[in-house]
């Protein structure tokens, strides 16, 4: 689950098989997330609209919530980057992109992000 400030928890996201809810935390605890750069990678095959497959639906809901979380953290001064691999030209990835056949390309993408953030030392 993604955590949000107590007064900024978004509406739950229903999906086939469940409901994804954000968790509310005191703002002082939440603000700890704004102190470090964070990157989240999502692979391929995540539907944009509701579908009947519970597994795909869970990823769809998670991506929506991740975008909401990124926006709230960044609004509070954080530095969250959310990368959808197909949008940057890497297609065919599962939820374990470092284990996929194009893992070198994924690692290079992560290395570039680390360098941009000054975390490659």
């Amino acid at each position: 689950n993604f955590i949000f400030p107590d007064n900024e928890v978004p509406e739950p996201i229903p999906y086939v098989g469940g409901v994804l809810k954000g968790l509310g935390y005191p703002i002082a605890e939440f603000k700890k997330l704004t102190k470090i750069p964070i990157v989240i990678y999502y692979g391929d095959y995540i539907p944009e609209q509701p579908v009947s497959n519970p597994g795909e639906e869970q990823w769809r809901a998670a991506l929506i919530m991740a975008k909401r979380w990124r926006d709230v953290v960044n609004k509070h001064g954080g530095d969250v980057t959310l990368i959808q691999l197909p949008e940057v030209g890497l297609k065919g990835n599962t939820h374990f992109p470092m284990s996929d056949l194009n893992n070198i390309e994924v690692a290079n993408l992560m290395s570039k992000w680390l360098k941009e953030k000054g975390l490659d030392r």
Side-chain angles (χ1 to χ4, degrees):
N1 289 345
F2 290 96
I3 67 168
F4 294 85
D6 282 325
N7 63 344
E8 295 183 62
V9 178
E11 291 294 316
I13 302 169
Y15 64 92
V16 171
V19 175
L20 180 61
K21 299 177 182 177
L23 299 175
Y25 271 73
I27 189 70
E29 290 295 309
F30 174 83
K31 293 277 275 182
K32 291 177 182 178
L33 296 170
T34 67
K35 305 298 180 200
I36 57 169
I38 299 169
V39 65
I40 305 171
Y41 293 91
Y42 277 91
D44 212 341
Y45 312 115
I46 300 174
E48 294 181 16
Q49 301 298 321
V51 295
S52 60
N53 180 299
E56 291 177 345
E57 269 289 276
Q58 185 176 5
W59 284 110
R60 182 186 66 80
L63 179 58
I64 293 168
M65 189 65 78
K67 289 176 179 180
R68 292 176 181 175
W69 179 78
R70 172 204 59 200
D71 293 346
V72 172
V73 174
N74 289 347
K75 180 180 89 170
H76 285 276
D79 182 7
V80 175
T81 303
L82 190 148
I83 297 174
Q84 292 178 255
L85 294 173
E87 290 182 0
V88 297
L90 296 179
K91 299 189 185 281
N93 291 90
T94 66
H95 65 286
F96 288 114
M98 291 303 182
S99 298
D100 292 329
L101 295 177
N102 64 351
N103 60 18
I104 302 257
E105 289 87 353
V106 175
N108 287 340
L109 189 64
M110 182 176 285
S111 180
K112 179 182 173 197
W113 181 86
L114 289 167
K115 184 172 184 161
E116 288 171 1
K117 302 300 176 181
L119 300 171
D120 61 336
R121 298 181 184 104

